[in-house]
Amino acid sequence: MKIGIYGGSFNPIHRGHTELAASIVQQGLVDELWLLVSPLNPLKQNSTSDIVEYEHRLNMARLATEGIEGVEVSDFERNLPIPSYTITTLGELRKAYPQHEFVLVIGADNWERFPRWFHAEEIIAEYRILIYRRPGCELDETALPSSVRVVETPLYDISSTEIREGLQRGEDM
């Protein structure tokens, strides 16, 4: 089975996350998509003051994905070293589930930062990557490695950061 791995803090999870996940499954790009709730994003270690407790984010993700066919919430990183780098997580998933092929799902904003990821070249060499578009991020599809593909999904101009900031200002989010 081809499993999409869509990792994130999901702090909080929102409609953009869930509809993107559903779209990737519905298009047949993967057989299932696992929302991998991360205890701590290695690239966001210095901004943990406003992160909601892991169990709460995990439960919110489960509630938000109820009834979305082919989308599962995973706590796989819970038992890995914190922070768990993507290359580590993918390797451990491959060991735990050798019958599956794992495909990394990331946003264009993360692709822009991808060279900063731990063992980025190894990820590109070992795994397929699906990139979804993000507002304000341009992609040169002609320059992408053969293991990387841009996919067409709904485009939401919202982020978890904007939701948290809006709530702090007392806005109805």
Short mmCIF file of all heavy atoms in Angstrom, two decimals, residues 31-75:
data_model
loop_
_atom_site.label_atom_id
_atom_site.label_comp_id
_atom_site.label_asym_id
_atom_site.label_seq_id
_atom_site.Cartn_x
_atom_site.Cartn_y
_atom_site.Cartn_z
N ASP A 31 -2.79 5.57 -1.32
CA ASP A 31 -3.92 4.74 -0.90
C ASP A 31 -4.49 5.22 0.42
O ASP A 31 -5.70 5.18 0.64
CB ASP A 31 -3.48 3.29 -0.78
CG ASP A 31 -2.97 2.75 -2.09
OD1 ASP A 31 -3.70 2.87 -3.11
OD2 ASP A 31 -1.83 2.24 -2.14
N GLU A 32 -3.61 5.66 1.30
CA GLU A 32 -4.00 6.24 2.59
C GLU A 32 -3.07 7.41 2.86
O GLU A 32 -1.94 7.45 2.35
CB GLU A 32 -3.81 5.26 3.75
CG GLU A 32 -4.87 4.24 3.89
CD GLU A 32 -4.70 3.39 5.15
OE1 GLU A 32 -3.76 3.60 5.95
OE2 GLU A 32 -5.54 2.49 5.34
N LEU A 33 -3.54 8.34 3.66
CA LEU A 33 -2.69 9.44 4.10
C LEU A 33 -2.71 9.46 5.62
O LEU A 33 -3.77 9.46 6.23
CB LEU A 33 -3.17 10.78 3.55
CG LEU A 33 -2.20 11.91 3.83
CD1 LEU A 33 -1.99 12.75 2.60
CD2 LEU A 33 -2.66 12.74 4.99
N TRP A 34 -1.51 9.43 6.21
CA TRP A 34 -1.39 9.48 7.66
C TRP A 34 -0.95 10.88 8.07
O TRP A 34 0.10 11.36 7.65
CB TRP A 34 -0.36 8.48 8.16
CG TRP A 34 -0.72 7.04 7.93
CD1 TRP A 34 -1.88 6.54 7.40
CD2 TRP A 34 0.09 5.90 8.22
NE1 TRP A 34 -1.83 5.17 7.33
CE2 TRP A 34 -0.63 4.75 7.84
CE3 TRP A 34 1.36 5.75 8.76
CZ2 TRP A 34 -0.13 3.46 7.99
CZ3 TRP A 34 1.87 4.47 8.91
CH2 TRP A 34 1.13 3.33 8.54
N LEU A 35 -1.81 11.53 8.86
CA LEU A 35 -1.43 12.80 9.48
C LEU A 35 -0.56 12.45 10.67
O LEU A 35 -1.03 11.86 11.64
CB LEU A 35 -2.66 13.58 9.96
CG LEU A 35 -3.53 14.23 8.90
CD1 LEU A 35 -4.78 14.82 9.54
CD2 LEU A 35 -2.77 15.31 8.18
N LEU A 36 0.70 12.76 10.57
CA LEU A 36 1.68 12.40 11.59
C LEU A 36 1.86 13.60 12.51
O LEU A 36 2.54 14.56 12.16
CB LEU A 36 2.99 12.02 10.91
CG LEU A 36 3.99 11.21 11.70
CD1 LEU A 36 3.43 9.84 12.02
CD2 LEU A 36 5.25 11.06 10.89
N VAL A 37 1.22 13.55 13.67
CA VAL A 37 1.29 14.66 14.63
C VAL A 37 2.65 14.61 15.31
O VAL A 37 3.00 13.63 15.98
CB VAL A 37 0.14 14.59 15.65
CG1 VAL A 37 0.23 15.75 16.63
CG2 VAL A 37 -1.21 14.59 14.93
N SER A 38 3.40 15.68 15.13
CA SER A 38 4.77 15.74 15.65
C SER A 38 4.81 16.34 17.05
O SER A 38 4.25 17.40 17.29
CB SER A 38 5.62 16.60 14.71
OG SER A 38 6.91 16.76 15.24
N PRO A 39 5.52 15.66 17.97
CA PRO A 39 5.69 16.26 19.30
C PRO A 39 6.46 17.58 19.24
O PRO A 39 6.17 18.51 19.98
CB PRO A 39 6.48 15.21 20.08
CG PRO A 39 6.20 13.92 19.38
CD PRO A 39 6.05 14.29 17.92
N LEU A 40 7.45 17.67 18.32
CA LEU A 40 8.25 18.89 18.21
C LEU A 40 8.89 18.95 16.82
O LEU A 40 9.63 18.05 16.44
CB LEU A 40 9.35 18.91 19.28
CG LEU A 40 10.28 20.12 19.27
CD1 LEU A 40 9.50 21.40 19.55
CD2 LEU A 40 11.37 19.95 20.31
N ASN A 41 8.61 20.01 16.10
CA ASN A 41 9.20 20.21 14.78
C ASN A 41 10.63 20.71 14.96
O ASN A 41 10.85 21.74 15.59
CB ASN A 41 8.36 21.25 14.01
CG ASN A 41 8.88 21.54 12.63
OD1 ASN A 41 10.08 21.48 12.36
ND2 ASN A 41 7.97 21.88 11.73
N PRO A 42 11.64 20.01 14.41
CA PRO A 42 13.03 20.43 14.59
C PRO A 42 13.32 21.84 14.08
O PRO A 42 14.19 22.51 14.60
CB PRO A 42 13.83 19.41 13.77
CG PRO A 42 12.94 18.23 13.64
CD PRO A 42 11.53 18.77 13.65
N LEU A 43 12.57 22.30 13.08
CA LEU A 43 12.81 23.65 12.55
C LEU A 43 12.06 24.72 13.32
O LEU A 43 12.20 25.90 13.05
CB LEU A 43 12.43 23.72 11.07
CG LEU A 43 13.29 22.87 10.14
CD1 LEU A 43 12.79 22.97 8.70
CD2 LEU A 43 14.75 23.28 10.21
N LYS A 44 11.27 24.32 14.31
CA LYS A 44 10.50 25.28 15.11
C LYS A 44 10.80 25.16 16.60
O LYS A 44 10.00 25.54 17.43
CB LYS A 44 9.00 25.09 14.87
CG LYS A 44 8.55 25.36 13.46
CD LYS A 44 7.06 25.18 13.31
CE LYS A 44 6.61 25.44 11.90
NZ LYS A 44 5.16 25.21 11.75
N GLN A 45 11.96 24.62 16.95
CA GLN A 45 12.28 24.38 18.36
C GLN A 45 12.28 25.64 19.20
O GLN A 45 12.01 25.60 20.39
CB GLN A 45 13.64 23.69 18.50
CG GLN A 45 13.63 22.27 18.01
CD GLN A 45 14.94 21.58 18.26
OE1 GLN A 45 15.47 21.65 19.35
NE2 GLN A 45 15.46 20.91 17.25
N ASN A 46 12.57 26.79 18.60
CA ASN A 46 12.63 28.02 19.36
C ASN A 46 11.28 28.70 19.52
O ASN A 46 11.19 29.73 20.16
CB ASN A 46 13.62 28.99 18.69
CG ASN A 46 15.03 28.44 18.72
OD1 ASN A 46 15.41 27.73 19.64
ND2 ASN A 46 15.80 28.75 17.69
N SER A 47 10.23 28.13 18.94
CA SER A 47 8.91 28.76 19.04
C SER A 47 7.91 27.82 19.70
O SER A 47 6.78 27.69 19.26
CB SER A 47 8.42 29.16 17.64
OG SER A 47 8.29 28.01 16.83
N THR A 48 8.32 27.17 20.77
CA THR A 48 7.45 26.18 21.42
C THR A 48 6.58 26.77 22.52
O THR A 48 5.79 26.05 23.12
CB THR A 48 8.30 25.04 22.02
OG1 THR A 48 9.22 25.59 22.95
CG2 THR A 48 9.02 24.26 20.94
N SER A 49 6.68 28.06 22.80
CA SER A 49 5.93 28.64 23.91
C SER A 49 4.42 28.61 23.68
O SER A 49 3.66 28.56 24.64
CB SER A 49 6.39 30.07 24.19
OG SER A 49 6.16 30.87 23.05
N ASP A 50 3.99 28.64 22.43
CA ASP A 50 2.56 28.65 22.16
C ASP A 50 2.04 27.32 21.62
O ASP A 50 0.94 27.24 21.11
CB ASP A 50 2.20 29.78 21.20
CG ASP A 50 2.85 29.63 19.83
OD1 ASP A 50 3.73 28.76 19.66
OD2 ASP A 50 2.46 30.39 18.93
N ILE A 51 2.83 26.25 21.78
CA ILE A 51 2.38 24.96 21.27
C ILE A 51 1.50 24.26 22.30
O ILE A 51 1.82 24.23 23.49
CB ILE A 51 3.57 24.07 20.84
CG1 ILE A 51 3.08 22.91 19.98
CG2 ILE A 51 4.36 23.57 22.03
CD1 ILE A 51 4.15 22.26 19.15
N VAL A 52 0.37 23.77 21.83
CA VAL A 52 -0.58 23.07 22.68
C VAL A 52 -0.01 21.69 23.00
O VAL A 52 0.72 21.10 22.20
CB VAL A 52 -1.95 22.98 21.96
CG1 VAL A 52 -2.93 22.11 22.72
CG2 VAL A 52 -2.52 24.37 21.72
N GLU A 53 -0.37 21.17 24.16
CA GLU A 53 0.11 19.86 24.59
C GLU A 53 -0.14 18.81 23.50
O GLU A 53 -1.17 18.81 22.83
CB GLU A 53 -0.64 19.48 25.87
CG GLU A 53 -0.28 18.13 26.42
CD GLU A 53 -1.14 17.77 27.63
OE1 GLU A 53 -1.58 18.67 28.35
OE2 GLU A 53 -1.37 16.56 27.81
N TYR A 54 0.81 17.90 23.35
CA TYR A 54 0.78 16.89 22.30
C TYR A 54 -0.53 16.10 22.28
O TYR A 54 -1.16 15.94 21.24
CB TYR A 54 1.98 15.94 22.45
CG TYR A 54 2.01 14.85 21.41
CD1 TYR A 54 2.37 15.13 20.10
CD2 TYR A 54 1.66 13.55 21.72
CE1 TYR A 54 2.39 14.14 19.12
CE2 TYR A 54 1.68 12.56 20.76
CZ TYR A 54 2.04 12.86 19.47
OH TYR A 54 2.05 11.89 18.51
N GLU A 55 -0.95 15.59 23.42
CA GLU A 55 -2.17 14.77 23.47
C GLU A 55 -3.39 15.55 22.98
O GLU A 55 -4.26 14.99 22.31
CB GLU A 55 -2.43 14.26 24.90
CG GLU A 55 -1.47 13.20 25.35
CD GLU A 55 -1.52 11.93 24.49
OE1 GLU A 55 -2.62 11.53 24.05
OE2 GLU A 55 -0.45 11.35 24.27
N HIS A 56 -3.44 16.83 23.30
CA HIS A 56 -4.56 17.66 22.87
C HIS A 56 -4.55 17.84 21.35
O HIS A 56 -5.58 17.70 20.69
CB HIS A 56 -4.53 19.01 23.59
CG HIS A 56 -5.75 19.83 23.38
ND1 HIS A 56 -7.01 19.40 23.74
CD2 HIS A 56 -5.91 21.05 22.84
CE1 HIS A 56 -7.89 20.33 23.43
NE2 HIS A 56 -7.25 21.34 22.87
N ARG A 57 -3.35 18.10 20.76
CA ARG A 57 -3.25 18.24 19.32
C ARG A 57 -3.61 16.93 18.62
O ARG A 57 -4.27 16.93 17.57
CB ARG A 57 -1.84 18.70 18.92
CG ARG A 57 -1.56 20.13 19.34
CD ARG A 57 -0.19 20.61 18.91
NE ARG A 57 0.88 19.97 19.69
CZ ARG A 57 1.84 19.21 19.20
NH1 ARG A 57 1.93 18.97 17.91
NH2 ARG A 57 2.76 18.69 20.00
N LEU A 58 -3.19 15.82 19.19
CA LEU A 58 -3.50 14.51 18.64
C LEU A 58 -5.01 14.27 18.64
O LEU A 58 -5.60 13.85 17.64
CB LEU A 58 -2.77 13.44 19.47
CG LEU A 58 -2.71 12.03 18.95
CD1 LEU A 58 -1.96 11.97 17.63
CD2 LEU A 58 -2.03 11.14 19.97
N ASN A 59 -5.66 14.58 19.75
CA ASN A 59 -7.11 14.40 19.85
C ASN A 59 -7.86 15.34 18.90
O ASN A 59 -8.86 14.94 18.30
CB ASN A 59 -7.58 14.59 21.29
CG ASN A 59 -7.17 13.44 22.18
OD1 ASN A 59 -6.99 12.31 21.71
ND2 ASN A 59 -6.97 13.70 23.45
N MET A 60 -7.38 16.59 18.78
CA MET A 60 -8.01 17.52 17.83
C MET A 60 -7.92 16.97 16.40
O MET A 60 -8.88 17.05 15.63
CB MET A 60 -7.35 18.90 17.89
CG MET A 60 -7.76 19.73 19.09
SD MET A 60 -7.21 21.46 18.96
CE MET A 60 -5.43 21.28 18.94
N ALA A 61 -6.76 16.41 16.06
CA ALA A 61 -6.58 15.86 14.72
C ALA A 61 -7.52 14.67 14.50
O ALA A 61 -8.11 14.54 13.41
CB ALA A 61 -5.12 15.43 14.52
N ARG A 62 -7.67 13.85 15.50
CA ARG A 62 -8.59 12.70 15.36
C ARG A 62 -10.02 13.16 15.16
O ARG A 62 -10.76 12.61 14.33
CB ARG A 62 -8.47 11.79 16.58
CG ARG A 62 -7.17 11.00 16.59
CD ARG A 62 -7.05 10.10 17.80
NE ARG A 62 -5.84 9.29 17.70
CZ ARG A 62 -5.04 9.02 18.72
NH1 ARG A 62 -5.32 9.49 19.93
NH2 ARG A 62 -3.97 8.29 18.54
N LEU A 63 -10.44 14.17 15.92
CA LEU A 63 -11.79 14.70 15.76
C LEU A 63 -11.98 15.33 14.38
O LEU A 63 -13.01 15.14 13.74
CB LEU A 63 -12.09 15.74 16.85
CG LEU A 63 -12.32 15.20 18.25
CD1 LEU A 63 -12.37 16.35 19.26
CD2 LEU A 63 -13.62 14.40 18.30
N ALA A 64 -10.99 16.08 13.93
CA ALA A 64 -11.09 16.79 12.66
C ALA A 64 -11.12 15.85 11.46
O ALA A 64 -11.66 16.21 10.41
CB ALA A 64 -9.92 17.77 12.51
N THR A 65 -10.57 14.65 11.60
CA THR A 65 -10.50 13.73 10.46
C THR A 65 -11.56 12.63 10.52
O THR A 65 -11.59 11.78 9.62
CB THR A 65 -9.10 13.09 10.37
OG1 THR A 65 -8.81 12.41 11.60
CG2 THR A 65 -8.05 14.14 10.08
N GLU A 66 -12.40 12.65 11.54
CA GLU A 66 -13.45 11.63 11.64
C GLU A 66 -14.28 11.63 10.36
O GLU A 66 -14.72 12.68 9.90
CB GLU A 66 -14.37 11.91 12.83
CG GLU A 66 -13.87 11.35 14.12
CD GLU A 66 -14.85 11.59 15.27
OE1 GLU A 66 -15.97 12.10 15.05
OE2 GLU A 66 -14.46 11.28 16.40
N GLY A 67 -14.45 10.47 9.78
CA GLY A 67 -15.29 10.33 8.60
C GLY A 67 -14.61 10.68 7.28
O GLY A 67 -15.24 10.61 6.24
N ILE A 68 -13.34 11.05 7.31
CA ILE A 68 -12.62 11.33 6.06
C ILE A 68 -11.97 10.02 5.61
O ILE A 68 -11.01 9.56 6.22
CB ILE A 68 -11.57 12.44 6.22
CG1 ILE A 68 -12.22 13.73 6.72
CG2 ILE A 68 -10.86 12.68 4.88
CD1 ILE A 68 -11.24 14.86 6.97
N GLU A 69 -12.52 9.45 4.57
CA GLU A 69 -12.06 8.14 4.10
C GLU A 69 -10.61 8.20 3.64
O GLU A 69 -10.20 9.08 2.88
CB GLU A 69 -12.95 7.68 2.95
CG GLU A 69 -12.73 6.23 2.60
CD GLU A 69 -13.77 5.72 1.62
OE1 GLU A 69 -14.90 6.23 1.63
OE2 GLU A 69 -13.42 4.81 0.86
N GLY A 70 -9.82 7.25 4.14
CA GLY A 70 -8.43 7.12 3.73
C GLY A 70 -7.46 8.00 4.49
O GLY A 70 -6.27 7.96 4.24
N VAL A 71 -7.97 8.82 5.42
CA VAL A 71 -7.10 9.70 6.21
C VAL A 71 -7.09 9.21 7.65
O VAL A 71 -8.13 9.07 8.28
CB VAL A 71 -7.57 11.17 6.14
CG1 VAL A 71 -6.71 12.06 7.03
CG2 VAL A 71 -7.56 11.67 4.70
N GLU A 72 -5.89 8.93 8.14
CA GLU A 72 -5.70 8.44 9.51
C GLU A 72 -4.78 9.39 10.26
O GLU A 72 -3.93 10.05 9.67
CB GLU A 72 -5.05 7.04 9.48
CG GLU A 72 -5.82 6.00 8.72
CD GLU A 72 -7.15 5.62 9.35
OE1 GLU A 72 -7.25 5.71 10.59
OE2 GLU A 72 -8.07 5.25 8.61
N VAL A 73 -4.93 9.43 11.56
CA VAL A 73 -4.05 10.22 12.42
C VAL A 73 -3.08 9.25 13.08
O VAL A 73 -3.49 8.21 13.60
CB VAL A 73 -4.84 11.01 13.48
CG1 VAL A 73 -3.91 11.70 14.46
CG2 VAL A 73 -5.76 12.01 12.78
N SER A 74 -1.79 9.60 13.05
CA SER A 74 -0.76 8.72 13.60
C SER A 74 0.02 9.43 14.71
O SER A 74 0.38 10.59 14.58
CB SER A 74 0.20 8.30 12.49
OG SER A 74 1.29 7.59 13.04
N ASP A 75 0.29 8.67 15.75
CA ASP A 75 1.15 9.16 16.84
C ASP A 75 2.51 8.45 16.80
O ASP A 75 3.19 8.34 17.80
CB ASP A 75 0.48 8.96 18.19
CG ASP A 75 0.29 7.49 18.56
OD1 ASP A 75 0.51 6.61 17.70
OD2 ASP A 75 -0.09 7.22 19.71
#
